[in-house]
Amino acid sequence: LLFVNAGMVQFVPYFLGQQTPPFRRAVSVQKCIRTPDIDEVGKTSRHGTFFQMNGNFSFGDYFKEGAIPFAWDLATKPLDRGGFGLDPERIWVTVYLDDDEAAEIWRRTGVPVERIVRRGKKDNFWSMGIPGPAGPCSELYYDRGPEYGREGGPAVDEDRYLEFWNLVFMQYDIADVRGKEEFRILGELPAKNIDTGMGLERMAAILQGVDNLYEIDEVRPILDRAAELTGRRYGARSSHVASESHPDDVRLRVVADHVRTSLMLIGDGVIPSNEGRGYVLRRIMRRAIRAIRLLGWQDRALPELLPVARDCMAPSYPELAEEFDRISSYAYAEEDAFLSTLRAGTTILDTAIAETRRAGRAAISGEKAFQLHDTYGFPIDLTLEIAAEQGLQVDEEGFRRLMADQRARAKADAQARKTGHLDLSAYR
Ligand code: SER
């Protein structure tokens, strides 16, 4: 794993029985990074690249009969008694297809059968996406009401019915993982365990009565600052449904999410680079900078936004304030480098556009787009966009072919480093 992407990551050796935990029950608030859904950020109400996961864990201690009533109790107990005070009538739960036991415990705990939904592996069997501990899960959803989407439960609309808590019944060791639904169960784990994850940001959105993760108190100030800089009015469309948002709103959310993630990543020691974790950070930062440029802000943006993110997060993570000089110097240098890339690329692209026109062609060649990407680090989406503004297309197929060739060469190189034998066919 490049990043901790769930609250349970550091507990894997306990689940597998490789180490004895010093305690049999635990609770945590874990910083997490998840980027597979990065393109969804801002377009839905519930995808963030950085989030904090609250969880309770049992290492061979309580199992379903404990975890389910615990979750119900905390979710529904009034705020003044230490719970989240959610209306029990609005909570829906899901269980894995054949998990009669969990369904029965939910029924006994007080959830009517019509709000207990059975779902398959894709939704209700949790794994890390790699070999290791896994198990069927049961999720809690909160119905935010008709203004958020269609009636019918979480299987119909996961924006209206917001998942806020996942209870995983960790009981299997899996291998040969090829996707959410394709893996092999090696056998039972030495003990039956519990791993739960409640997205802090999702719960905050519910409790603060806001539409999405980007409007909670830890994120909204960054969004507001970006709106102020660019002179855009956030939320001009009145719909609560994220998918109906104005493109400006989506971009402002991307900026807010990604700036906060960059702060947290650099804070934890990641440095922008061309590989591994550093590359993920670089992409996130570039996406933020691109988004704010598309909103009309051409100058350095991070010196305006990063301190706002720090002020949002430092109450929980004081080290962000103490180390802000180090964090911000990496961030600002990265932005400056990217802005020069954009300037250099724009000049080359302008020339390419002029040449394409002179030659009477409708599309910029795939080679040119590839060269911009490969030599100047100029992102293809930007090439496409600038070309479109000039009424031109880009030979995307040609571009993708060259990208694929390059990947094949990189793979051959990596293989050669391992085996000492270079497959020259990748170079033809
Ligand atoms: N591991 C589960 C998840 O990430 C529950 O914590 O959803």
Side-chain angles (χ1 to χ4, degrees):
L1 286 174
L2 285 181
F3 297 106
V4 171
N5 62 358
M8 51 73 78
V9 166
Q10 68 278 24
F11 296 137
V12 170
Y14 300 160
F15 290 140
L16 293 176
Q18 293 164 342
Q19 280 178 28
T20 311
F23 30 66
R24 295 185 61 196
R25 296 179 172 200
V27 294
S28 67
V29 181
Q30 175 63 50
K31 287 181 272 187
C32 296
I33 296 282
R34 275 189 199 172
T35 53
D37 293 324
I38 195 165
D39 289 326
E40 297 301 315
V41 170
K43 295 181 196 157
T44 77
S45 58
R46 62 201 145 81
H47 286 103
T49 52
F50 166 83
F51 61 94
Q52 298 148 92
M53 198 176 253
N54 302 328
N56 58 298
F57 301 87
S58 153
F59 311 115
D61 196 79
Y62 60 85
F63 198 46
K64 297 177 193 181
E65 76 302 332
I68 290 175
F70 278 166
W72 183 253
D73 187 56
L74 183 58
T76 59
K77 203 163 37 182
L79 283 169
D80 60 7
R81 288 178 37 222
F84 289 114
L86 303 186
D87 175 0
E89 305 285 311
R90 289 184 170 226
I91 297 178
W92 288 60
V93 301
T94 60
V95 297
Y96 184 57
L97 285 181
D98 65 2
D99 196 347
D100 298 335
E101 192 190 351
E104 175 53 23
I105 300 173
W106 276 119
R107 205 191 51 74
R108 281 206 312 266
T109 306
V111 182
V113 281
E114 43 311 346
R115 292 208 306 272
I116 304 175
V117 181
R118 292 183 187 245
R119 299 179 89 179
K121 278 195 190 131
K122 186 164 100 34
D123 299 290
N124 278 65
F125 195 100
W126 198 85
S127 80
M128 297 164 76
I130 55 174
C137 62
S138 177
E139 299 183 314
L140 288 85
Y141 290 78
Y142 181 72
D143 179 3
R144 302 197 289 166
E147 59 282 24
Y148 287 91
R150 285 178 300 154
E151 193 93 28
V156 172
D157 190 330
E158 289 208 25
D159 259 329
R160 165 165 173 178
Y161 300 87
L162 185 66
E163 181 210 326
F164 64 91
W165 204 343
N166 186 9
L167 318 179
V168 184
F169 310 129
M170 283 289 184
Q171 64 186 102
Y172 299 115
D173 189 8
I174 63 165
D176 303 335
V177 186
R178 278 186 301 274
K180 279 194 170 171
E181 295 173 85
E182 268 188 84
F183 51 82
R184 190 159 58 87
I185 293 184
L186 291 177
E188 296 265 342
L189 293 170
K192 289 191 162 57
N193 310 286
I194 290 293
D195 150 32
T196 86
M198 172 202 279
L200 182 145
E201 286 75 5
R202 292 186 184 191
M203 185 51 89
I206 294 173
L207 294 181
Q208 294 172 12
V210 295
D211 286 349
N212 53 58
L213 307 184
Y214 325 99
E215 296 175 14
I216 65 166
D217 56 0
E218 271 187 354
V219 184
R220 179 71 195 242
I222 317 170
L223 191 157
D224 285 339
R225 181 75 187 113
E228 195 179 22
L229 286 177
T230 56
R232 307 287 164 140
R233 195 159 89 74
Y234 179 72
R237 267 189 208 162
S238 58
S239 170
H240 290 288
V241 181
S243 58
E244 292 169 5
S245 302
H246 189 279
D248 283 356
D249 287 359
V250 174
R251 286 177 182 143
L252 287 167
R253 293 175 192 146
V254 168
V255 172
D257 173 86
H258 289 12
V259 168
R260 182 169 84 134
T261 301
S262 306
L263 170 81
M264 299 310 292
L265 280 175
I266 305 175
D268 264 5
V270 183
I271 294 167
S273 76
N274 272 338
E275 51 187 26
R277 276 180 275 272
Y279 185 61
V280 176
L281 169 62
R282 174 161 283 167
R283 274 195 53 211
I284 289 173
M285 295 186 70
R286 290 181 168 189
R287 279 174 53 96
I289 296 163
R290 278 276 296 129
I292 199 151
R293 280 172 74 85
L294 290 170
L295 288 164
W297 181 259
Q298 308 296 326
D299 295 336
R300 303 168 89 203
L302 291 179
E304 304 292 335
L305 300 171
L306 206 64
V308 182
R310 173 203 57 202
D311 295 344
C312 290
M313 299 306 290
S316 304
Y317 304 98
E319 65 275 16
L320 295 170
E322 287 151 23
E323 295 183 28
F324 194 67
D325 284 346
R326 173 183 69 81
I327 298 170
S328 58
S329 60
Y330 280 119
Y332 301 164
E334 178 67 10
E335 177 169 42
D336 288 345
F338 186 51
L339 292 180
S340 355
T341 298
L342 289 180
R343 276 191 292 273
T346 308
T347 314
I348 296 182
L349 185 54
D350 286 346
T351 316
I353 288 170
E355 277 167 6
T356 308
R357 283 229 183 83
R358 249 199 319 277
R361 288 197 311 264
I364 295 173
S365 71
E367 286 81 25
K368 193 47 93 182
F370 180 74
Q371 185 201 7
L372 276 160
H373 161 87
D374 193 48
T375 314
Y376 301 96
F378 199 76
I380 179 71
D381 59 340
L382 197 56
T383 303
L384 286 169
E385 199 172 283
I386 296 177
E389 279 163 17
Q390 303 288 328
L392 288 175
Q393 292 166 332
V394 177
D395 172 14
E396 268 188 89
E397 215 186 293
F399 170 79
R400 304 223 178 274
R401 219 174 20 247
L402 291 164
M403 288 290 286
D405 289 352
Q406 190 196 40
R407 267 197 296 277
R409 284 195 302 275
K411 223 166 118 193
D413 286 346
Q415 191 65 17
R417 273 199 296 279
K418 255 197 263 161
T419 61
H421 170 76
L422 182 60
D423 174 11
L424 287 171
S425 65
Y427 282 84
R428 282 186 199 127

